[in-house]
Amino acid sequence: MTAPAVNDASVQASPASVVGSGRRGIPWALTGGLLLALLVLVPVAAGLGAYPIPTGEVLSSVLHRTGLGGTALDRVPESVLWNVRFPRIVLALLVGASLGCAGALMQGVFGNPLAEPGVIGVSSGAAVGAVAALALGLNFLGTWTVPAFAFVAGLGTVLLVYVMSRSGGRTEVVTLILTGIAVNAFAGALIGLFLFFADSAAVSQITFWQLGSLSQATWPKVLAVLPCAVLGLGLAPLYSRRLDLLSLGERPARHLGVDVERLRIVLVLVIALLTAAAVSVAGIIGFVGLVVPHLLRMVAGPGHRFLVPGSALLGALVLLAADLTARTVAAPAELPLGVLTALIGSPFFFWLLRRTRRRQGGWA
């Protein structure tokens, strides 16, 4: 018996390649809604904090700085806005967009809606690099030492996972996941050793970094993340159609001209670039890359043409809102951002598992 032919018509009819006819307008409406929400939340976040600044004054200062009118504020509020608040807001947008987009790519590459960037070891590898720099007291790059070590270690870990999972010139998804799990476990052991031998001051720094935070945001850190984020976010949408074809299965995707192995290599590197850059400056912030693509997929469908850039927008919005909550809900204290996203993301993930199980009639 011959296998049924796979052609462009079947791809166009597949649920993974296009948004359903009843949802055609939803992506555009969602995009507009997300952009509007960002435009509203940014000045609000800039005005809230230990030193409150009215939203009108925030907008006036922005217009003045951009040469579109407005008036400059007094020295103190102007300094708070442009040296403290705006670097943190921009960094939150970049980190959130990077994690959200990386999560959408990860789930598309692995064909698993429960995958997230940490699966391939990039987060734990970056953590090892940062913890090593802190525990050993390394400071030869000044304030850049910890982010630089985290970024290089994160990328190096992903490359190690990929090389170890290859066999016969190919990489199977299951092998890649299992290798990532093993490397994550080994990285956790290394972090434990560094914590055991570190002094109390280093342990405090390591704990703070692992909990995730944007409290150390500066314009130089924004400029450090910006090239990686722009490159990764610019490349990701170019592979949307191939991800839709890959969702049909590896064999049909190959028949339709997709070089599956090359696609997987490129996207794993893009995921590593986005995640390592985000983790290097913000610490470990979980659940954003897992939850954000799910929210969009439930509303707009599985098509990656919207899902990839939409996840970047929603990720930026979610992390900015989470950071605003983290620094205001317990003022003057500040909640660790990674703890807050985990507290919110974990119940949602549990609900998602229950919902999926009910719809599928069980997993047995």
Side-chain angles (χ1 to χ4, degrees):
M1 179 181 295
T2 59
V6 181
N7 50 42
D8 288 340
S10 65
V11 175
Q12 292 173 359
S14 68
S17 58
V18 294
V19 179
S21 58
R23 295 179 172 180
R24 288 187 187 278
I26 292 179
W28 291 105
L30 272 177
T31 301
L34 290 173
L35 290 174
L36 180 61
L38 283 172
L39 289 175
V40 171
L41 186 59
V42 166
V44 170
L48 293 177
Y51 188 96
I53 303 172
T55 304
E57 294 185 11
V58 173
L59 295 174
S60 179
S61 179
V62 171
L63 291 174
H64 178 74
R65 288 281 183 130
T66 54
L68 298 176
T71 57
L73 307 182
D74 293 337
R75 183 177 60 85
V76 173
E78 191 81 359
S79 178
V80 168
L81 269 183
W82 294 96
N83 296 327
V84 179
R85 300 269 172 82
F86 278 132
R88 183 164 183 161
I89 288 170
V90 175
L91 196 61
L93 295 175
L94 290 174
V95 170
S98 298
L99 293 176
C101 183
L105 293 177
M106 193 75 182
Q107 292 171 12
V109 169
F110 280 58
N112 187 335
L114 301 181
E116 61 99 21
V119 169
I120 54 176
V122 60
S123 297
S124 59
V128 169
V131 168
L134 292 170
L136 299 176
L138 302 179
N139 197 35
F140 57 88
L141 294 177
T143 57
W144 294 105
T145 305
V146 172
F149 267 68
F151 182 76
V152 172
L155 286 180
T157 303
V158 171
L159 293 175
L160 176 64
V161 169
Y162 191 81
V163 169
M164 291 175 63
S165 62
R166 283 180 67 84
S167 177
R170 292 184 57 190
T171 307
E172 295 180 351
V173 171
V174 174
T175 307
L176 194 65
I177 293 174
L178 293 176
T179 305
I181 291 172
V183 170
N184 279 331
F186 184 72
L190 288 179
I191 291 171
L193 282 176
F194 281 122
L195 283 169
F196 180 77
F197 289 109
D199 56 33
S200 57
V203 169
S204 177
Q205 286 182 290
I206 291 169
T207 303
F208 180 78
W209 189 89
Q210 284 187 294
L211 294 177
S213 175
L214 295 173
S215 61
Q216 305 298 319
T218 59
W219 286 119
K221 286 188 177 181
V222 170
L223 293 176
V225 175
L226 188 62
C228 298
V230 169
L231 179 61
L233 294 173
L235 287 174
L238 302 179
Y239 296 91
S240 297
R241 184 175 181 275
R242 274 168 276 191
L243 282 173
D244 285 339
L245 298 178
L246 184 61
S247 67
L248 300 172
E250 288 191 22
R251 184 172 296 177
R254 288 194 182 95
H255 287 321
L256 291 166
V258 178
D259 187 337
V260 174
E261 189 65 17
R262 182 180 178 183
L263 176 66
R264 193 166 285 148
I265 292 172
V266 171
L267 290 185
V268 164
L269 291 176
V270 171
I271 292 165
L273 183 69
L274 290 170
T275 309
V279 171
S280 68
V281 296
I284 298 176
I285 299 175
F287 283 98
V288 175
L290 174 65
V291 170
V292 164
H294 270 298
L295 288 172
L296 291 180
R297 196 179 286 109
M298 285 175 2
V299 176
H304 289 87
R305 185 178 178 183
F306 168 74
L307 186 62
V308 172
S311 294
L313 281 176
L314 184 57
L317 181 64
V318 165
L319 199 65
L320 180 58
D323 184 56
L324 176 61
T325 304
R327 63 184 175 84
T328 58
V329 71
E334 182 175 319
L335 294 177
L337 185 55
V339 171
L340 184 62
T341 57
L343 283 174
I344 297 172
S346 299
F348 176 82
F349 184 58
F350 178 71
W351 170 80
L352 187 68
L353 288 174
R354 300 279 296 180
R355 176 178 178 271
T356 305
R357 187 173 184 269
R358 285 197 306 269
R359 286 194 169 189
Q360 295 182 355
W363 290 328

